[in-house]
Amino acid sequence: MVLDAWLKQNYPSIWNEYHQGHKPAYLTQAERTMMGCLETGEVVERAAVYRAVWGSQYLEAIDFQRLNKLVSRLREKIGADRIETVKGVGYRLVK
């Protein structure tokens, strides 16, 4: 899915900021799932994000490095200041 259209529909405030000077980019399924987890603006635990993106069968061996890479890629696409890390807990989407 093209990030530009998806952001415009689901997160107009982020889209307005992102659209200025950026070319359309694509969100992967994992990135869309993570955005869905964070859309409430509430803090979401890292394990909950991991479970939503990769499934509960991997919960016994959570690879937080994999999650960190996902967050990093998503921050590159929507802006680093849009995903806040809540130390020791998880992440929050800043709208």
Side-chain angles (χ1 to χ4, degrees), residues 13-82:
S13 63
I14 294 174
W15 179 82
N16 287 332
E17 187 174 306
Y18 174 85
H19 194 261
Q20 298 173 13
H22 286 85
K23 296 178 182 177
Y26 291 90
L27 283 181
T28 65
Q29 179 62 44
E31 292 163 346
R32 285 193 307 271
T33 301
M34 182 169 181
M35 287 291 289
C37 289
L38 301 177
E39 70 184 351
T40 65
E42 305 278 325
V43 176
V44 181
E45 292 182 358
R46 290 168 54 101
V49 174
Y50 194 94
R51 188 172 38 253
V53 173
W54 290 291
S56 60
Q57 67 268 26
Y58 299 110
L59 202 52
E60 294 298 318
I62 292 179
D63 181 0
F64 284 119
Q65 186 173 6
R66 185 179 186 190
L67 182 58
N68 292 341
K69 288 178 184 176
L70 173 65
V71 171
S72 178
R73 285 194 322 264
L74 194 51
R75 282 179 171 150
E76 287 176 10
K77 292 179 181 182
I78 69 168
D81 59 336
R82 291 299 187 172

